[in-house]
Amino acid sequence: MASSVNIPDFWYRRVCKISLALSAAVIAIWAGEILLPSSMPAVAFDLSWPAIAGFGLTLIVSLTAVIFSRRINAFYGAQASYLALAAALLLATLPGPAGSLAFWVVWSAVAVFAGFFGSWNLLAISAVASAYIGYLLATVSQPTGRTALLIWVTLAPLVISFLVWRRRKTPHDEKEQAYSALARQLSQIANKSDIVINAIADGVVAIDHKGIVQLINPAGQTMIGWSANDAIGLDYRSVLKIVNERGESLDDEQDIIQQVLKTNITTSSNDFAIMTSTGKKFLASLSVSPVGSLGSGAIVVFRDITQETAEGRQQAEFISTASHEMRTPVAAIEGYLGLALNPQTANIDDKARAYLTKAHESAQHLGRLFQDLLDVSRADDSRLNNNPQVIDVVAFVREVVTSLAPQAASKQLAMIYKPDIEQVRSQRISPMFYIVADVDHLREVLNNLIENAIKYTRQGDVTADVTGDDETVTITITDTGIGIPPEDIPHLFQKFYRVDSTATREIGGTGLGLYLSRRLTEAMGGHIEVKSQYGQGSQFTLKFNRLSNKEAAERIEDNAGKPQT
Ligand code: ADP
């Protein structure tokens, strides 16, 4: 049973320590009397053996409770120590020449705390103490005055203890306590979340299932120029006016808050602007998360990204201008080094040729880096001009594979184009697969993937394949190269990411090719992914929506052109 009064563990630990100190002191004095009788004061303890055993037990119990205080329940440790001490004190009061009186005093002081451990504890001690008095009165003859005193010093502290500690938990108290604990907890949570929401520098608006604003934090109020008092209770469309980049308001299909309420899927976008109460417009990063079940409400978090976007644009412009300007002199250096290396235009010795070859390779690398930087800055700046056309994929990939075949041959790698192989094997022309995509983008992505496959393969082959079903066209580039460690795969399509291993360190690269390939593929509405077995090879897959042959024919006819190959 737990204590009737709520007492922190701190006090239970103190009880153990007090029991320990008392029992240790008694045992020490008793031992001193036996071992060094001459050095002890004349007042003898004269403790009975049961009392010594009681204090010894108290010492052991309270010491254990103190040592293991972190592991055992503090209440039970303290209760055990206390009971042992009370029993030892009662035993110590057994009549003796002098000591018993001192122990009566200590007992009285300790017994006052019997109720500290609850009423059962008090009852048990009272029963033992009464039985003990009964025993004393029955066995030892006492003068009447002393008998009364004995009863008084034994039982009075227990009565006092009852009065002091009797506060019981009534059902009402329990409810009250549970309620106040809950209220405390809730108010702490509410305070904490208020503090957090008020401290967030982003705007936060909570709306309910009807689209009514329920909460708007101070940052949001400042950003859109609405006070909480005015905004709460209004439809979010009057408060948080989301518009497109041209400042036109959105219909329900375009409104991302409506979409989140309809789909319950968290959505983010940097493509919208928000109109403030004074009619100013700022570019916003918006993130809308659903709350609870479908259509229950949403939390909108928004941030002004006008400056960020302008800075990003300036940065991209700087990179693009710088790389464009630097590409020209590098091209000149590359050209002149080419001339110097050409035996028909220059006579140089072998040593100079070796140096110039290295310089030529580095100039080529630099040129590629500038080109990649230029492409990447264009991609980041969303200036990728996507010029979709109908493409006959099998023929298109064949053309790219053929153009890169010499590169593979120079490394003694077999370049395989599966549709052609199958055509020879089964004497059947592979099906036509059409997609709508930008020809230059697709060529660049395929070039990147096939060049990588050649670059990162020492021996074996590079295989390109085109397959598909009614919905999708899949292009795969497979190699038998060095492969990619699994931990690098999630980062592979990030800007400047290169696998760092001895194998890749020897091979030059910028870490931009796959990033650019992903951006270009996504700009064309496609999807790129990779599978790899480290040390055995890699497979890059491009997926695009398939255009039915009928539709492709119609579109080609409409454009009065031919399919791009
Ligand atoms: P890089 O210019 O370094 O080739 P990419 O973006 O094209 O840059 O590729 C990023 C990294 O991915 C490369 O550095 C290489 O470690 C790894 N990688 C790309 N393609 C392959 C491949 N076919 N086989 C093994 N590793 C590859």
Side-chain angles (χ1 to χ4, degrees), residues 126-450:
S126 304
V128 172
S130 308
Y132 174 67
I133 286 180
Y135 164 76
L136 276 188
L137 295 181
T139 52
V140 188
S141 64
Q142 313 264 0
T144 327
R146 196 178 152 95
T147 308
L149 185 71
L150 202 67
I151 295 174
W152 174 249
V153 289
T154 312
L155 298 182
L158 295 171
V159 175
I160 295 171
S161 177
F162 172 72
L163 294 175
V164 172
W165 303 103
R166 89 199 140 120
R167 207 188 99 80
R168 287 161 177 282
K169 277 192 225 159
T170 61
H172 175 73
D173 274 355
E174 270 175 30
K175 268 192 202 151
E176 191 97 300
Q177 262 186 9
Y179 172 77
S180 61
L182 188 65
R184 220 177 18 250
Q185 229 174 346
L186 284 176
S187 84
Q188 273 173 2
I189 294 170
N191 280 344
K192 273 189 203 155
S193 53
D194 269 1
I195 292 170
V196 173
I197 290 174
N198 292 345
I200 291 176
D202 290 0
V204 179
V205 172
I207 57 169
D208 67 9
H209 64 291
K210 288 194 202 135
I212 305 294
V213 175
Q214 298 294 334
L215 176 149
I216 173 163
N217 73 338
Q221 296 169 33
T222 318
M223 267 189 253
I224 57 174
W226 279 81
S227 72
N229 284 345
D230 293 339
I232 292 175
L234 293 184
D235 187 289
Y236 77 90
R237 277 166 281 222
S238 3
V239 177
L240 198 64
K241 289 185 197 119
I242 304 175
V243 293
N244 64 19
E245 278 189 1
R246 291 182 295 281
E248 299 157 351
S249 43
L250 311 173
D251 57 31
D252 277 3
E253 281 298 301
Q254 299 164 320
D255 184 342
I256 69 169
I257 299 179
Q258 279 302 320
Q259 290 310 312
V260 170
L261 288 176
K262 272 187 204 148
T263 58
N264 234 31
I265 297 170
T266 303
T267 314
S268 306
S269 169
N270 289 353
D271 300 337
F272 298 110
I274 292 176
M275 198 83 95
T276 68
S277 63
T278 53
K280 280 197 199 129
K281 198 178 77 170
F282 65 86
L283 283 179
S285 160
L286 273 167
S287 171
V288 188
S289 316
V291 185
S293 55
L294 184 67
S296 307
I299 304 284
V300 187
V301 179
F302 56 95
R303 187 161 54 89
D304 183 348
I305 54 165
T306 315
Q307 201 181 344
E308 240 170 80
T309 315
E311 281 170 7
R313 211 161 257 167
Q314 277 170 2
Q315 209 177 16
E317 236 167 66
F318 170 75
I319 296 175
S320 123
T321 318
S323 38
H324 190 263
E325 291 303 317
M326 286 191 267
R327 219 171 35 156
T328 323
V330 169
I333 296 171
E334 209 186 311
Y336 282 115
L337 287 171
L339 285 176
L341 284 169
N342 188 341
Q344 283 166 3
T345 47
N347 286 326
I348 49 171
D349 63 19
D350 286 350
K351 215 168 183 182
R353 177 172 301 280
Y355 294 147
L356 288 183
T357 307
K358 290 244 154 57
H360 192 229
E361 279 168 10
S362 296
Q364 274 178 328
H365 183 189
L366 203 58
R368 257 198 322 272
L369 183 61
F370 285 141
Q371 183 59 50
D372 281 355
L373 274 177
L374 199 61
D375 293 338
V376 164
S377 69
R378 247 188 246 143
D380 284 349
D381 197 18
S382 328
R383 275 191 289 135
L384 281 176
N385 40 354
N386 199 15
N387 200 359
Q389 295 178 35
V390 178
I391 300 178
D392 172 357
V393 183
V394 174
F396 189 85
V397 178
R398 180 183 296 117
E399 183 205 303
V400 181
V401 167
T402 315
S403 71
L404 291 170
Q407 211 168 311
S410 69
K411 281 188 77 180
Q412 274 92 46
L413 300 174
M415 183 72 124
I416 301 166
Y417 188 46
K418 262 211 170 140
D420 289 351
I421 304 278
E422 269 158 23
Q423 193 176 325
V424 172
R425 199 182 297 151
S426 60
Q427 294 293 312
R428 207 156 32 93
I429 294 171
S430 56
M432 302 286 270
F433 291 112
Y434 289 105
I435 61 170
V436 178
D438 185 294
V439 179
D440 294 330
H441 291 352
L442 186 61
R443 184 173 291 115
E444 184 154 0
V445 173
L446 286 171
N447 268 328
N448 272 336
L449 297 184
I450 300 176

Side-chain angles (χ1 to χ4, degrees), residues 372 448-449 452-457 479 481-484 492 494 497-500 504 507-515 532 537-538 540:
D372 281 355
N448 272 336
L449 297 184
N452 274 350
I454 297 171
K455 205 157 75 166
Y456 297 106
T457 304
D479 63 54
I482 60 173
I484 301 156
L492 219 56
Q494 288 168 6
Y497 194 86
R498 300 205 70 214
V499 176
D500 189 19
T504 53
I507 305 167
T510 59
L512 287 170
L514 287 182
Y515 170 75
S532 185
S538 315
F540 285 83

